[in-house]
Amino acid sequence: MNCQPPQLVDRFGREISYARLSVTDRCDFRCVYCMAEEMKFLPRSQVLSLEELFEVGRALVELGVRKLRLTGGEPLVRNQVMRLVERLGQLPGLAELTMTTNGSQLERLALPLRQAGVRRLNISLDSLQQDKFRRITRSGDLRRVLRGIDAALAAGFERIKINSVILKGRNEDEILALAEFAQGRGMDLSFIEEMPLGLIDEHNRALSFCSSDEVREILQRCYTLTPVDDSTGGPSRYYAAAGSAARFGFISPHSHNFCHLCNRVRVTVEGRLLLCLGNEHSVDLRAVLRDPASGRDTLRQTIIDAMDLKPEQHHFDLNAEPDIIRFMNMTGG
Ligand code: SAM
Ligand code: SF4
């Protein structure tokens, strides 16, 4: 275990110990809140190779990042992604390697992920009704995702969390069904407020917005919730349900600003180190990785220097044109 003093500290004294690494911008789904129906994906030359992704992961861990989450796009559709997972899983100093996935490939890959050292998994699931699931994801097959969730449960992950983005008029009527589904299988469930990332015309984000408080009110019809003290520094606020080991989380970028606790950075698959989900402040790590004159020290120093760019907070406004035109699949959600 690395016992050096933290090297990644921003101007506001926040220590960065958590990084999300996007391993692809591609996806087999087109969720209505995340992507446009027709998407142009990045040409291969602009995307970090698996080796480059590993270099970034290693540098972050050497600088004190303890938790690394692989995401995308859909991380499990990246060719040979398991090679990267296996190598990252062996990094000394990394306390936790996790992944966020849409579940479509888990039937095949849940066990290899567990064996490669992934201890926790987040699986996105917005509906338990085949038709509705298809309408939200535009191309997903619910039965396949459910088989993937079963495979993940059988693979013995320490914790599995379901993520559900709740949209008014879409799936708010499934809040209790999703809760029962997760709780009955011993999984946590986080409800996410939709964020204005990328320009979409499929729905009006202000009209479909469903706040975490509204979701919690619906849950409280069936569950007695008590707040859980959680020190992960993340945006989720957790509640325990009486009589159950499962927890319900709320990710509320609008109704509850979590910036003062932020301990994280993101790296896009183009190698942009993003200092904040809701701002464009970033540093180009790909240029450093591909500069023959730079080595591992330069990469580490570039990441350390980037901390000065981390803004104090984000400002999301659902009624305005999005400030952030990159889609969530580019950001690494
Ligand atoms: N494809 C994987 C998945 O869906 O789990 C990983 C990437 S996805 C971008 C990560 C998470 O971001 C998912 O739980 C998804 O529901 C969420 N997400 C995507 N677009 C969002 C948006 N505009 N607002 C809030 N959450 C969003
Ligand atoms: Fe794909 Fe995940 Fe975005 Fe859905 S939320 S389109 S599964 S990247």
Side-chain angles (χ1 to χ4, degrees):
M1 181 62 88
N2 188 346
C3 296
Q4 285 179 344
Q7 296 186 68
L8 299 182
V9 183
D10 75 0
R11 289 175 298 143
F12 307 97
R14 295 172 296 193
E15 277 176 30
I16 305 306
S17 56
Y18 178 14
R20 295 189 173 207
L21 195 53
S22 175
V23 304
T24 179
D25 61 327
R26 290 166 195 259
C27 187
D28 49 345
F29 292 2
R30 296 284 184 278
C31 301
V32 293
Y33 46 76
C34 176
M35 291 195 185
E37 190 151 20
E38 298 296 327
M39 289 290 288
K40 247 207 184 124
F41 294 108
L42 291 166
R44 209 179 164 152
S45 59
Q46 287 181 30
V47 166
L48 295 191
S49 66
L50 291 178
E51 186 59 37
E52 288 168 331
L53 285 165
F54 175 73
E55 287 300 330
V56 171
R58 174 163 64 187
L60 287 165
V61 173
E62 285 169 351
L63 290 170
V65 163
R66 294 282 154 265
K67 182 170 165 183
L68 209 51
R69 175 174 298 283
L70 303 181
T71 177
E74 173 46 40
L76 294 178
V77 302
R78 172 93 196 231
N79 210 4
Q80 309 284 356
V81 71
M82 287 309 302
R83 286 198 194 165
L84 174 68
V85 179
E86 282 158 15
R87 289 183 75 195
L88 291 173
Q90 287 171 17
L91 279 177
L94 181 60
E96 205 175 306
L97 180 61
T98 62
M99 181 178 277
T100 303
T101 170
N102 66 21
S104 69
Q105 312 299 314
L106 279 179
E107 201 175 2
R108 185 171 50 93
L109 292 177
L111 192 57
L113 281 173
R114 182 67 191 101
Q115 287 167 340
V118 175
R119 287 174 18 202
R120 293 163 175 245
L121 212 53
N122 286 3
I123 308 174
S124 302
L125 179 72
D126 302 325
S127 171
L128 291 162
Q129 298 171 22
Q130 177 74 9
D131 292 358
K132 207 192 284 179
F133 184 85
R134 167 71 69 156
R135 282 198 295 277
I136 294 176
T137 59
R138 291 198 184 104
S139 58
D141 176 0
L142 175 65
R143 283 163 301 195
R144 187 166 164 174
V145 171
L146 294 180
R147 287 198 302 273
I149 293 175
D150 284 343
L153 286 166
F157 288 93
E158 284 171 20
R159 211 149 194 137
I160 300 178
K161 181 160 75 86
I162 298 292
N163 278 343
S164 303
V165 177
I166 301 296
L167 304 182
K168 273 223 170 102
R170 271 286 162 82
N171 61 348
E172 67 183 324
D173 57 332
E174 286 198 68
I175 292 169
L176 289 172
L178 287 162
E180 202 182 313
F181 175 82
Q183 199 233 1
R185 288 163 181 75
M187 302 185 289
D188 291 340
L189 169 61
S190 275
F191 293 102
I192 306 179
E193 288 178 354
E194 184 180 10
M195 289 173 252
L197 297 174
L199 262 179
I200 54 164
D201 54 16
E202 199 270 349
H203 60 277
N204 179 325
R205 283 183 155 139
L207 295 181
S208 61
F209 179 67
C210 188
S211 77
S212 291
D213 288 345
E214 292 171 82
V215 175
R216 208 174 55 239
E217 250 178 64
I218 294 176
L219 271 184
Q220 278 170 332
R221 291 181 200 155
C222 291
Y223 297 94
T224 307
L225 302 179
T226 3
V228 177
D229 207 18
D230 191 71
S231 56
T232 54
S236 260
R237 288 166 307 125
Y238 283 102
Y239 290 79
S244 157
R247 300 185 307 173
F248 296 119
F250 297 91
I251 302 181
S252 327
H254 298 282
S255 48
H256 296 272
N257 189 296
F258 46 78
C259 300
H260 62 291
L261 295 173
C262 185
N263 63 351
R264 62 196 55 195
V265 293
R266 293 174 164 79
V267 182
T268 71
V269 74
E270 293 171 284
R272 263 175 84 197
L273 175 64
L274 283 172
L275 284 309
C276 170
L277 177 62
N279 285 284
E280 292 290 1
H281 306 70
S282 70
V283 168
D284 182 4
L285 299 182
R286 188 180 62 196
V288 180
L289 286 160
R290 295 188 180 174
D291 176 358
S294 309
R296 286 170 60 185
D297 287 345
T298 323
L299 181 62
R300 280 195 298 262
Q301 195 56 50
T302 307
I303 297 173
I304 293 173
D305 294 345
M307 293 304 119
D308 279 353
L309 294 177
K310 191 166 167 64
E312 190 168 13
Q313 57 182 8
H314 67 247
H315 302 276
F316 285 145
D317 182 355
L318 288 169
N319 290 302
E321 286 283 293
D323 291 341
I324 306 297
I325 46 164
R326 65 186 137 79
F327 286 99
M328 191 65 149
N329 72 308
M330 291 299 300
T331 304

